[in-house]
Amino acid sequence: MPESATHLSLVQDIVDYIENRFSVLAGLIVLTDLPTSERADKPPRVGGYAPDVYAAEVPRTTVLIGEAKTADDLTTSHSRDQIAAFLKFLSYQQRGILVLAVPWQCVPAARIVLASARRSLNCDSSRVETVVLDGIVTPKVNS
């Protein structure tokens, strides 16, 4: 099933965020599930799920998974399981980051989904950094 324009826009927001925040990482490889991506450039499956964006620094010190969720998709059991699988995988990385992009009106629900997944995995913020993008404003990078 083709992705909605909203979903594709949220995926692009994740890519833009990575380009802005991590431009200093020379060895960062970014793989996306955008329609313009070649098959070989698609993200690997993580915990049985295919993320929208997968970025890794070479050598692998930073690993980032980006996932875009529309309002209809955010609170489904599939999405909750997917987010938990991504958090679990990232908790084993030297520096794991999960970026969740949602429409602005879904930010509170996204934070609840992330907090619930963290609690179920006993995964605190010192193990995996989480970022919620609201589809409107990209968080500024601290200089």
Side-chain angles (χ1 to χ4, degrees):
M1 177 173 87
E3 300 292 350
S4 70
T6 300
H7 184 267
L8 294 175
S9 175
L10 292 169
V11 173
Q12 188 59 54
D13 288 347
I14 296 168
V15 172
D16 293 344
Y17 172 77
I18 292 168
E19 289 174 356
N20 287 328
R21 179 165 176 208
F22 299 100
S23 62
V24 297
L25 299 180
L28 189 68
I29 297 170
V30 180
L31 306 173
T32 69
D33 195 20
L34 290 168
T36 55
S37 300
E38 296 293 325
R39 175 176 237 151
D41 294 334
K42 300 285 185 180
R45 294 184 77 76
V46 174
Y49 299 94
D52 293 313
V53 180
Y54 181 92
E57 186 180 14
V58 178
R60 196 164 112 173
T61 54
T62 300
V63 177
L64 181 145
I65 291 177
E67 188 62 26
K69 294 296 179 189
T70 62
D72 293 336
D73 196 30
L74 177 62
T75 58
T76 65
S77 60
H78 171 84
S79 291
R80 287 192 305 266
D81 293 345
Q82 185 181 36
I83 289 167
F86 294 162
L87 280 171
K88 183 176 181 178
F89 170 80
L90 290 168
S91 72
Y92 292 106
Q93 307 308 310
Q94 186 173 343
R95 179 181 181 205
I97 304 166
L98 177 63
V99 178
L100 184 59
V102 297
W104 67 269
Q105 68 273 24
C106 297
V107 169
R111 293 189 195 286
I112 290 168
V113 168
L114 285 169
S116 176
R118 280 185 179 282
R119 274 192 307 276
S120 72
L121 296 169
N122 195 26
C123 176
D124 65 31
S125 59
S126 68
R127 292 177 57 200
V128 178
E129 177 184 347
T130 56
V131 177
V132 176
L133 302 180
D134 63 14
I136 297 173
V137 179
T138 301
K140 297 200 179 357
V141 178
N142 295 332
S143 357

